[in-house]
Amino acid sequence: MSKAGALDLATGLGGKIDKSDVLSAVEKYEKYHVCYGGDEEERKANYSDMVNKYYDLVTSFYEFGWGESFHFAPRFKGESLRESIKRHEHFLALQLGLKPGQKVLDVGCGIGGPLREIARFSSTSVTGLNNNEYQISRGKELNRIAGVDGTCDFVKVGSVLGGDFMKMPFPDNIFDAVYAIEATCHAPDAYGCYSEIYRVLKPGQCFAAYEWCMTDSFDPRNQEHQKIKAEIEIGDGLPDIRLTGQCIDALKKAGFEVMWSKDLAVGSPVPWYLPLDTNHFSLSSFRLTAVGRFFTKNMVKALEFVGLAPKGSQRVQDFLEKAAEGLVEGGRYQLSVGLSFELKRFCKYCDGDER
């Protein structure tokens, strides 16, 4: 996990946004969301700007509290958060059947924690796709430190190359495997995003993912359920959270054969949301506990007061805290999950036979 400290957190706050503009960026981001009067259609229409602002604002917080891999994982008793995250990434690589030398795409790669872990575990070359300049610059530095900068790289969408999740800047049939970890949920249209993944994946090869979804237990008429969903959306930079069935239907419509899918929350010996539960304490993931978050909140307040952190930093901490509350409640009520699935692309050139 990252060894980011208080100074790293302070200097990284706001990402590539000018420090004097962080507060206005926070205000604009907040206005996209239900909690501040925003609506789903506006978030979807402006998803690229919304998600980019979100990761400029939160990346240093994530790295400070979570490490280099910004995702959850099912967990065994006696297993640390760090160990569960690494095992989760190794499991994904094994499901894809990765072989040394293959060319792999990570859709929505963050600062590249999973990218580096999977590349080292499988001896593959991994390209990370991202729309956030700050995350890419941070990822390149971490790649260099890890010694994988010769085999792993990043592509910024929305740059001179053009495109985004909905229009990837790659030719057809170029990757041997594609994966996404809690990332394609940022796309405004699941079918459009999965169709692009299908296009850049070689025929007969696999796409595997962990996806944020709402379960069938979610009741859109229940105000408490809607509140939980809204808290997760603002805290995780999501235009919407789709139902599990909607994701599976969109994958099939895009042309994939769904080999298997699973609600990862079911059967996990340790609840996936435990690191954020205020009733839980852990020295190994202290910064995520209630005490650790209280410490971070006051540290950020002090850093902002003395001018080491930009104005608006506390507001970012506040909506991340709101997300933590929503995630824990969503987990307890079994409303939100990380849906895992593996899919195979049919060969469209050989009458349905896999190549």
Side-chain angles (χ1 to χ4, degrees), residues 35-224:
C35 305
Y36 295 88
D39 61 56
E40 180 183 323
E41 291 310 311
E42 184 181 8
R43 290 194 298 278
K44 287 183 175 180
N46 298 281
Y47 79 97
S48 185
D49 176 68
M50 183 192 73
V51 173
N52 199 40
K53 278 187 172 59
Y54 172 77
Y55 280 113
D56 267 328
L57 295 170
V58 307
T59 293
S60 60
F61 278 103
Y62 273 14
E63 194 173 354
F64 179 79
W66 212 258
E68 296 176 21
S69 295
F70 303 163
H71 64 85
F72 291 89
R75 191 167 160 191
F76 294 113
K77 291 180 180 179
E79 187 177 44
S80 70
L81 176 63
R82 180 181 182 179
E83 290 168 343
S84 70
I85 285 174
K86 291 183 71 170
R87 178 178 51 76
H88 202 44
E89 293 164 357
H90 294 174
F91 176 75
L92 190 83
L94 290 170
Q95 292 305 304
L96 285 169
L98 299 181
K99 298 179 177 61
Q102 286 188 323
K103 189 172 182 179
V104 182
L105 177 65
D106 179 335
V107 179
C109 60
I111 60 172
L115 176 154
R116 286 181 288 280
E117 189 63 39
I118 287 173
R120 288 179 297 207
F121 179 74
S122 60
S123 299
T124 53
S125 297
V126 186
T127 297
L129 187 67
N130 196 322
N131 79 333
N132 186 267
E133 186 179 346
Y134 174 69
Q135 288 198 333
I136 288 177
S137 63
R138 184 76 182 117
K140 286 181 176 179
E141 174 63 13
L142 292 170
N143 276 6
R144 185 190 63 77
I145 293 170
V148 298
D149 50 323
T151 56
C152 298
D153 62 355
F154 296 89
V155 170
K156 183 181 185 302
V157 289
S159 65
V160 291
L161 288 173
D164 56 20
F165 277 10
M166 313 300 290
K167 190 176 181 182
M168 297 181 186
F170 304 113
D172 297 352
N173 312 325
I174 190 171
F175 291 103
D176 297 299
V178 180
Y179 69 85
I181 303 178
E182 299 175 18
T184 51
C185 46
H186 289 295
D189 172 43
Y191 166 69
C193 180
Y194 297 151
S195 294
E196 275 297 277
I197 292 170
Y198 185 91
R199 180 184 65 80
V200 302
L201 181 63
K202 291 179 180 178
Q205 301 304 306
C206 291
F207 165 49
Y210 302 134
E211 182 76 292
W212 275 112
C213 299
M214 303 305 290
T215 70
D216 291 337
S217 297
F218 174 72
D219 181 358
R221 297 165 298 182
N222 185 308
Q223 290 302 308
E224 182 62 22

Side-chain angles (χ1 to χ4, degrees), residues 1 20 34 39 42 45 67 105 113 129 143 179 188 194 203-204 231-232 245-246 252 263 274 282 296 298 307 321 337:
M1 279 195 175
S20 63
V34 173
D39 61 56
E42 184 181 8
L105 177 65
L129 187 67
N143 276 6
Y179 69 85
Y194 297 151
E231 287 175 341
I232 297 172
Q246 290 174 322
K252 292 177 179 178
D263 177 349
L274 187 68
S282 169
T296 301
N298 284 280
E321 189 64 32
V337 299

